[in-house]
Amino acid sequence: MSNNKGSALIFTLMVILILSVLGVAVIEMSLYEYKVSYAYADNISVDYSAEAGLDIAKGCFNNNELINIKSIMDETKNNIINQYQQINQELLYTAIYQAVRKYLEGSSPDYKDGIFTNYIGKTYSLNDNVSGIKNATTISNMKITDTYIFDKNNPLPKFTIQVETIGTYRKLKKYGHAVLILDLNKQGNPLSIKSWIIDSNQL
């Protein structure tokens, strides 16, 4: 009888031990799945932060700025024609290109507040007021990467613009690398996206 009671006790303890191990395993698995889901959600959020910088960069070429650019082109053209009366078309449109480029870059005393200089280095908060989690994007750089090549069929300026953004969410950080094309020969919206990559590498 005592042996039966002892065997039952041992069996009960073994069952409790097995159930405890299984319980711990289930809890650990649940925690792991939660951490994976949590990390995935954070990764999506930081990608969104980096991409938001591209949207801001695109937005800097709004209708008002495009009107300003057109005014600069017209003013430059009229000034040169009035000054020289007759001028080679390539020289005329090269001068127009240079004037617009200076406006974009803010590289002239006449255009100290260029489009790029108004955005480079600025951080934009993307926080929602509910969570209070730090979520932000920074445009770390905007620059023109090509030079003007005269094309008599498309003589107006065309710019290849490299945009670098930094997205942050919690302690995560991602970098956005975009190439925009601003083609003032195009009808309608002159801005297009040539490429856009988000990764963990800063250029």
Side-chain angles (χ1 to χ4, degrees):
M1 190 72 176
S2 297
N3 289 337
N4 290 337
K5 288 183 178 180
S7 298
L9 179 60
I10 292 172
F11 177 76
T12 302
L13 291 174
M14 289 181 64
V15 170
I16 292 173
L17 178 61
I18 292 171
L19 291 176
S20 298
V21 171
L22 289 174
V24 170
V26 169
I27 291 173
E28 287 184 349
M29 186 176 296
S30 298
L31 287 174
Y32 174 77
E33 290 178 353
Y34 172 77
K35 289 178 180 178
V36 169
S37 299
Y38 191 79
Y40 177 76
D42 282 1
N43 198 54
I44 294 295
S45 295
V46 75
D47 283 353
Y48 161 75
S49 298
E51 189 169 354
L54 172 62
D55 291 332
I56 293 171
K58 286 166 51 184
C60 73
F61 298 98
N62 53 48
N63 287 334
N64 289 336
E65 292 295 359
L66 293 176
I67 290 172
N68 289 340
I69 289 172
K70 186 178 185 307
S71 297
I72 289 170
M73 291 193 298
D74 291 341
E75 182 181 357
T76 303
K77 181 178 180 179
N78 292 333
N79 288 342
I80 290 176
I81 290 175
N82 291 335
Q83 183 176 355
Y84 296 101
Q85 300 301 319
Q86 291 185 341
I87 187 172
N88 178 279
Q89 289 293 297
E90 182 174 353
L91 294 178
L92 172 63
Y93 284 102
T94 299
I96 291 173
Y97 170 88
Q98 292 297 339
V100 175
R101 179 165 184 157
K102 288 177 181 178
Y103 176 68
L104 295 177
E105 297 176 331
S107 57
S108 166
D110 296 329
Y111 309 120
K112 290 181 180 179
D113 294 326
I115 292 180
F116 295 176
T117 54
N118 283 331
Y119 289 87
I120 294 175
K122 288 189 177 180
T123 297
Y124 300 85
S125 175
L126 307 173
N127 290 356
D128 60 73
N129 295 325
V130 177
S131 66
I133 296 172
K134 185 177 181 182
N135 189 4
T137 187
T138 302
I139 299 178
S140 57
N141 198 17
M142 294 177 73
K143 65 179 181 180
I144 296 169
T145 60
D146 55 1
T147 56
Y148 180 68
I149 299 175
F150 177 71
D151 179 354
K152 64 180 180 180
N153 295 319
N154 296 286
L156 294 178
K158 178 181 178 181
F159 301 96
T160 301
I161 302 168
Q162 181 179 331
V163 179
E164 301 295 326
T165 69
I166 303 172
T168 56
Y169 182 77
R170 298 183 189 274
K171 295 182 179 180
L172 299 178
K173 185 177 289 188
K174 285 287 189 72
Y175 300 92
H177 317 286
V179 176
L180 307 180
I181 304 296
L182 180 65
D183 187 353
L184 299 172
N185 296 283
K186 288 177 60 177
Q187 298 295 321
N189 185 3
L191 189 69
S192 60
I193 302 173
K194 183 178 180 181
S195 65
W196 172 240
I197 299 171
I198 299 174
D199 57 31
S200 301
N201 301 316
Q202 184 176 21
L203 294 184

